Amino acid sequence: MPRYAKMVLMDLSARPAITEDWPQIVQLNNSELLNVGPLRLDQGEWFLGHAAVTVIDGDDDPAEHQAAGLAAMIVLMVDGCGYRSPNYAWFAARFDRFAYIDRIVVRDDQAGQGLGRLLYDGAATWARQDGKPVLTAEVSVEPPNERSLEFHRRYGFGEIGRQVDPRYGQTVAMLSLPLR
């Protein structure tokens, strides 16, 4: 496991993903395809070996007597990890050292509980400790992802450019957060 794959969060409810989590990660991710790119089951080994993938477990649903699945997840990449994404490449062309939030998903029934902030706080803390001067992300502006844009504004990200993601035809705002 790469050294950066162990992003540690302040809250014990968040933990590094393991191989057995990957099917649930794919399911959670693909439930939000309007806002994030798709994931496949066969990509698990690469992501878990090259990225910091952190999850927050969902509570058991007593009415259904089964696990409710993951409540949230984040995928964090760093410079030099070899990720083949046009958005990652955009940041790599502008920053020598950076951490890149590739995706974050919070299950709909968990929205507004602070899970996104918890995961971003962990990503920012880890990136600072690893000497990364900037945290980066992109958010769709055409079509707009208003909830994510507002979250990033409140968190302190600023727009540093835009591009059309050639995979999906979406215009995305390229965002950065200087880490001090």
Side-chain angles (χ1 to χ4, degrees):
M1 181 178 289
R3 65 178 171 74
Y4 53 83
K6 292 186 178 184
M7 180 175 65
V8 178
L9 300 177
M10 303 298 278
D11 187 291
L12 296 177
S13 66
R15 62 176 176 77
I18 59 175
T19 302
E20 291 77 14
D21 293 320
W22 192 253
Q24 286 187 63
I25 290 167
V26 170
Q27 182 179 11
L28 178 60
N29 182 88
N30 292 351
S31 73
E32 287 290 322
L33 288 180
L34 292 177
N35 300 315
V36 296
L39 286 176
R40 299 184 319 267
L41 289 173
D42 66 342
Q43 294 174 304
E45 185 177 340
W46 191 92
F47 274 93
L48 294 173
H50 290 85
V53 181
T54 301
V55 297
I56 297 175
D57 292 308
D59 294 329
D60 286 342
D61 182 349
E64 297 294 325
H65 302 291
Q66 63 183 11
L70 298 177
M73 64 90 163
I74 190 170
V75 176
L76 182 69
M77 305 281 182
V78 296
D79 52 86
C81 74
Y83 189 35
R84 292 184 173 173
S85 155
N87 297 322
Y88 174 88
W90 192 94
F91 290 117
R94 288 157 179 82
F95 298 104
D96 292 330
R97 294 178 316 141
F98 65 98
Y100 168 66
I101 297 171
D102 177 56
R103 63 192 69 227
I104 182 171
V105 178
V106 175
R107 206 172 61 206
D108 280 343
D109 67 331
Q110 298 294 310
Q113 303 297 312
L115 300 181
R117 184 159 195 81
L118 172 71
L119 290 170
Y120 267 59
D121 287 349
T125 297
W126 178 88
R128 277 187 199 96
Q129 291 172 346
D130 199 49
K132 305 302 180 194
V134 64
L135 187 61
T136 62
E138 83 279 340
V139 176
S140 180
V141 292
E142 196 57 51
N145 183 343
E146 294 296 340
R147 186 170 77 179
S148 184
L149 286 166
E150 182 57 30
F151 173 87
H152 284 86
R153 281 187 206 111
R154 282 193 320 267
Y155 202 89
F157 281 81
E159 184 174 329
I160 57 172
R162 289 189 179 194
Q163 79 166 355
V164 175
D165 186 322
R167 298 167 299 178
Y168 314 113
Q170 295 176 317
T171 300
V172 292
M174 309 307 277
L175 309 174
S176 71
L177 175 70
L179 300 174
R180 295 176 177 80

